[in-house]
Amino acid sequence: MKKILLFLALVVQVGVFAQETQTSMDTISKPLLPVEKIDLLKNVDMIFNMRFANDNMFRDGKFEESSFSNNQFRLEIKGKIHEKVYFRFRDRYTKSTDPGSKDNISRATDMAYIGVLLTPKTQLNLGKMSADWGGFEFDLNPIDILEYNDIIENADNFLTGVGITHQVSNNHSFGLQVLNSRVSDFEDVYRGKMPEGIEKAKAPMAIVTNWRGSFFDGKFETIYSYSYFQEAKNRGMNYYSIGNKYHDGKFTLMYDLKYSNEGIDRKGIITGMMPGDDVTAQQDVSYLENWIKAEYLIAPKVNVTLTLMNSNAYAKNLVAENSGVSHIRSSYGFIPTVEYLPFKNMNIRFYASYVGRYYNYSSYAKEHLGQENYNTGRLSVGFIAPLLIF
C-alpha cells in the first residue's frame, strides 16, 4: 500500500512540473497581447475621473454631519480601433448599476458607443451616449461640477440611440440625435401616477438638434440646442438650451439659459410637492434656469471659481381651474471654490468649496401644498483628478 501511495505521489509531482513548464513555455512563445496589436494602444486612452472630499453638511444654517465621500469615480476608455472607427466607454462607480428597463444597460454607464467616420467631416455614433442638448454646465467633465442645477440633476442625460455630427467649417458644427426619450419603461418612470386619459407613446423618442460655434479665434464659443421628447400620446417635452463661453488668457466666463416645457412633469419637482399618497404626475409644467460659472487663474498654481445658479418652476392651472401659468418655486445656488494645482504636468487639483442652496416657495405652495422655505450647505475639502493612465 505504501508503494502504491508513493507511486501516485510521484505521478502527481511529475504532472505538476509538466503543467508548470508547459504554462511557462506557452506564455513565452505566445504572449497574451500580440506584438502586432500593441500599436493599437497608441490610439487608446484610459482615464480615471475622480473627486474625493471631506463633506460637511448643513441645513438651515445648522451643522448636521461630516464624512469622507468618493463623490465621483468614472472610468473612461476611448480611442480609435480603425482609421474610420472609434469607441467611447465611461462607467460611473458611484451610481446604482441596475439596468434601465428600456435600453437594457446599466444606469451607471454614461456612454458605450462606437463611432464611424462617414466622411472626413461627418461622423455617426451608435449606442448609449451623452444627449447633446447644449449648455456648458452639462458639457463640462462631471467631476468639475460640484452640484448641478435642477434640470440636469433631475433628467436622464445619457440615452441610447444614434447621432450624426457634421463639421461645416473649422468653427461650426451641427448635430442631430434620435434617442430613446428615457432609460426605463413608461410604467417604471411614472409608477402608476399617470392621470386618467393619458396613453403612453408607442415610439417614445427624443430628437436633439445642436449647433456648436467658435468666434474671435476661439475666445467666444456657443453650444445651442433644441430637443423634443415624446413622453406620452399628445404629451411631449420641448427643451431649449443656450450656452455661451468667453475665454481670454487666465479668465473664463460661461453662461447657460435653459427652458423646459413639459406636457407631463418629467423632472418631477412640481409633482413631488403634491400632498397625499395617490399623487398623479402633473401636466403642463415648465422650468426656467440660469447658470453662470467664472474662473480666474490668480497664480500659476491657484485657480478660483464662482458658480451662480437659479431655477424656477411653473405650473399651469394648478392654483385654480383657469388660473393660467403660476410660479411655484425658486431655487438659488452659489459655489465659491479655491483650487491648488501643485504639479506642473499633472492635472490634480486640491480644492475647498462651499455649495449653498436656497429653496423658496410661492404662497400657494406654502398654504395648500405644505411646503416651507429651507436652505442647505456643503463645505468640502478634497481633490479633483482626471488621471490619464495611458
Side-chain angles (χ1 to χ4, degrees):
M1 184 67 180
K2 291 182 179 180
K3 292 182 179 180
I4 294 175
L5 292 175
L6 179 60
F7 174 76
L8 291 175
L10 290 172
V11 170
V12 170
Q13 289 295 324
V14 171
V16 168
F17 284 123
Q19 288 176 356
E20 290 178 350
T21 304
Q22 185 67 38
T23 301
S24 177
M25 290 177 62
D26 281 353
T27 302
I28 294 173
S29 63
K30 190 177 181 181
L32 294 176
L33 186 64
V35 175
E36 61 271 17
K37 299 294 185 180
I38 292 179
D39 286 342
L40 286 174
L41 294 178
K42 296 178 180 179
N43 298 315
V44 175
D45 292 334
M46 176 182 285
I47 306 168
F48 289 173
N49 292 292
M50 305 173 64
R51 190 174 78 234
F52 166 88
N54 172 246
D55 294 327
N56 301 275
M57 314 302 291
F58 299 83
R59 186 180 176 93
D60 293 328
K62 296 181 180 180
F63 174 73
E64 290 193 327
E65 65 174 347
S66 177
S67 64
F68 291 103
S69 178
N70 295 291
N71 302 124
Q72 293 275 349
F73 183 80
R74 304 192 191 212
L75 172 63
E76 182 170 353
I77 305 173
K78 60 181 179 179
K80 293 177 64 176
I81 54 177
H82 182 271
E83 61 180 6
K84 292 187 177 182
V85 180
Y86 60 92
F87 73 95
R88 188 173 182 184
F89 171 82
R90 191 173 77 193
D91 201 51
R92 182 177 178 180
Y93 287 80
T94 52
K95 188 173 182 177
S96 171
T97 58
D98 294 338
S101 54
K102 172 62 68 177
D103 59 15
N104 199 35
I105 191 171
S106 168
R107 294 181 64 89
T109 300
D110 290 344
M111 289 172 275
Y113 68 85
I114 65 166
V116 180
L117 294 177
L118 303 179
T119 73
K121 294 185 177 182
T122 306
Q123 60 189 46
L124 176 70
N125 297 331
L126 305 98
K128 186 174 185 181
M129 64 193 75
S130 166
D132 199 8
W133 49 39
F136 285 92
E137 180 187 17
F138 184 56
D139 198 60
L140 293 174
N141 190 324
I143 63 175
D144 293 322
I145 302 295
L146 301 183
E147 185 152 334
Y148 284 104
N149 213 351
D150 291 340
I151 287 180
I152 293 181
E153 180 64 30
N154 293 281
D156 283 332
N157 299 297
F158 302 97
L159 299 166
T160 297
V162 298
I164 189 167
T165 302
H166 180 67
Q167 193 75 34
V168 179
S169 67
N170 291 334
N171 296 323
H172 300 280
S173 67
F174 291 93
L176 173 66
Q177 294 175 316
V178 181
L179 309 167
N180 290 338
S181 65
R182 50 184 178 265
V183 300
S184 298
D185 290 329
F186 187 83
E187 295 81 2
D188 295 329
V189 171
Y190 295 104
R191 300 183 182 278
K193 295 183 177 181
M194 272 299 97
E196 291 185 7
I198 300 297
E199 299 179 23
K200 69 177 183 180
K202 294 182 179 180
M205 295 293 178
I207 307 297
V208 182
T209 61
N210 180 283
W211 165 56
R212 293 173 180 262
S214 179
F215 303 87
F216 311 115
D217 296 325
K219 290 184 178 180
F220 181 69
E221 299 177 40
T222 59
I223 308 177
Y224 292 2
S225 178
Y226 165 72
S227 308
Y228 178 77
F229 288 69
Q230 184 66 48
E231 277 296 287
K233 189 175 181 180
N234 300 322
R235 289 291 186 276
M237 178 175 73
N238 294 278
Y239 180 39
Y240 307 83
S241 182
I242 298 175
N244 304 275
K245 176 181 178 181
Y246 174 76
H247 176 73
D248 188 6
K250 300 178 180 180
F251 178 70
T252 300
L253 179 65
M254 292 168 276
Y255 169 68
D256 289 350
L257 174 66
K258 303 183 183 71
Y259 175 67
S260 182
N261 187 294
E262 308 180 3
I264 300 175
D265 186 12
R266 180 59 187 276
K267 304 299 178 292
I269 295 174
I270 296 290
T271 302
M273 299 181 198
M274 300 297 112
D277 297 327
D278 56 346
V279 175
T280 60
Q282 294 300 295
Q283 302 182 62
D284 299 320
V285 304
S286 55
Y287 301 95
L288 177 65
E289 290 189 349
N290 296 278
W291 179 87
I292 299 174
K293 184 174 184 179
E295 300 183 5
Y296 186 67
L297 190 66
I298 61 176
K301 294 184 178 182
V302 181
N303 189 52
V304 294
T305 74
L306 175 63
T307 301
L308 302 174
M309 52 191 177
N310 159 250
S311 182
N312 297 280
Y314 303 85
K316 185 177 181 181
N317 299 332
L318 176 64
V319 175
E321 185 175 349
N322 295 305
S323 59
V325 176
S326 300
H327 180 257
I328 305 300
R329 190 196 80 159
S330 290
S331 69
Y332 305 90
F334 65 97
I335 311 174
T337 305
V338 178
E339 299 177 337
Y340 175 63
L341 298 77
F343 307 112
K344 184 177 181 180
N345 298 319
M346 183 175 290
N347 187 9
I348 296 181
R349 289 164 282 157
F350 295 92
Y351 75 96
S353 71
Y354 183 81
V355 178
R357 299 296 303 271
Y358 290 80
Y359 301 89
N360 297 333
Y361 295 89
S362 68
S363 57
Y364 175 84
K366 293 177 181 178
E367 295 172 9
H368 299 276
L369 306 181
Q371 302 299 317
E372 295 182 359
N373 295 347
Y374 69 98
N375 64 79
T376 63
R378 185 176 76 246
L379 177 64
S380 300
V381 179
F383 72 84
I384 298 171
L387 298 177
L388 180 62
I389 305 304
F390 64 78

